Amino acid sequence: MTEDLGYGWQSDLLDLPAYLKRVGYDADPRPDAATLRALHRAHVTSIPFENLEAILGRPVELGVEALQAKLVDRRRGGYCFEHTELFAAVLEKIGFEFTALAARVTMGATKLRPTTHALLRVQIPGEPALLCDVGFGSGPLEPLEFPAEGVNEVEQDGWGFRLFEGPRAWELHQRGADGWVQRHTFTLNETFHIDYELFNYFISTSPHSPFTTRAFTQKFSVDSLRVLDGTTLTTTRPDGHQEKRELPSEQLGAVLAEEFGIVLDPADIERLTAS
């Protein structure tokens, strides 16, 4: 048995047919642009974003076996490091060439932020490189092309995104109700599973992490972004229109199951409503 030196993404442990069934992809996957676009769209619209394990005080595990058990077999969601590691294993299994990256989430802030987000840069021979961002919870639906110069501004089913190289780093912007907002910045320095393990530990355990202070769940689709922040449910449409409502605590379990596809044990629901 060859020693795992940590440069790959454990695709030998991945049950690819189970993953494809989970995201509703029923074609023969090939390492080409059409497959990548379809898989990206299928992933972001099928597997929700959530930090519930951290809020419940349980460890958030990376590695293909743990991610497959949670996101595929148990049909739960996760945050960026979970999504991106699973997607990396899928791409590696199919035969794509890619580089894992780390980003600084800004959401319009100008102060320097730590690297707490995971991305993939995919290179298909003979084509421009593509940015895959399956773990942010709010798109994009499909990969974004790295522009050779200038700005790549795209609209995907009404959702707007911009990707360009800024003075310090690459920038991804997303269009909201009030215009364009810088979502995150990143460089093209390669990162690996061991780096994500370190970032993940901070995100899931530090009292300074936003993911240890309140429950947060997102589900992205072609026509809506649903966000459950604590007990506030917000639905955003591609044109920026929002609808908000406060949930009584007794409705939390039902909303998680019906709106996000996340089914929790009654004891976990009780702990979430008490947190």
Side-chain angles (χ1 to χ4, degrees), residues 5-80:
L5 299 178
Y7 291 97
W9 298 92
Q10 303 180 325
S11 60
D12 57 316
L13 303 176
L14 177 73
D15 184 345
L16 182 60
Y19 169 84
L20 296 178
K21 182 178 180 181
R22 169 72 167 103
V23 301
Y25 183 89
D26 58 5
D28 181 23
R30 302 177 183 277
D32 57 31
T35 294
L36 186 64
R37 287 194 298 269
L39 279 177
H40 195 291
R41 179 178 283 259
H43 186 112
V44 300
T45 58
S46 298
I47 306 180
F49 179 105
E50 50 131 316
N51 69 329
L52 302 182
E53 293 300 283
I55 296 299
L56 291 167
R58 293 193 285 257
V60 177
E61 299 182 60
L62 300 183
V64 167
E65 290 180 305
L67 296 174
Q68 186 165 266
K70 182 186 178 188
L71 277 66
V72 177
D73 300 339
R74 290 160 51 202
R75 303 185 69 83
R76 285 283 301 277
Y79 51 56
C80 65

Side-chain angles (χ1 to χ4, degrees), residues 133-210:
D133 190 1
V134 297
F136 200 79
S138 58
L141 286 165
E142 297 182 1
L144 303 176
E145 184 177 308
F146 280 87
E149 57 182 24
V151 178
N152 177 23
E153 183 174 315
V154 300
E155 188 164 305
Q156 300 176 347
D157 294 280
W159 303 98
F161 300 92
R162 281 178 174 172
L163 178 63
F164 60 92
E165 187 172 12
R168 293 180 178 270
W170 284 88
E171 301 183 16
L172 178 62
H173 292 231
Q174 185 165 5
R175 190 178 62 217
D178 298 322
W180 292 100
V181 177
Q182 183 192 80
R183 197 165 88 174
H184 45 254
T185 67
F186 61 94
T187 66
L188 301 184
N189 296 331
E190 187 170 11
T191 55
F192 300 94
H193 167 75
I194 195 169
D195 302 311
Y196 285 175
E197 288 275 12
L198 185 64
F199 300 150
N200 177 63
Y201 182 77
F202 170 82
I203 284 292
S204 63
T205 64
S206 172
H208 301 294
S209 166

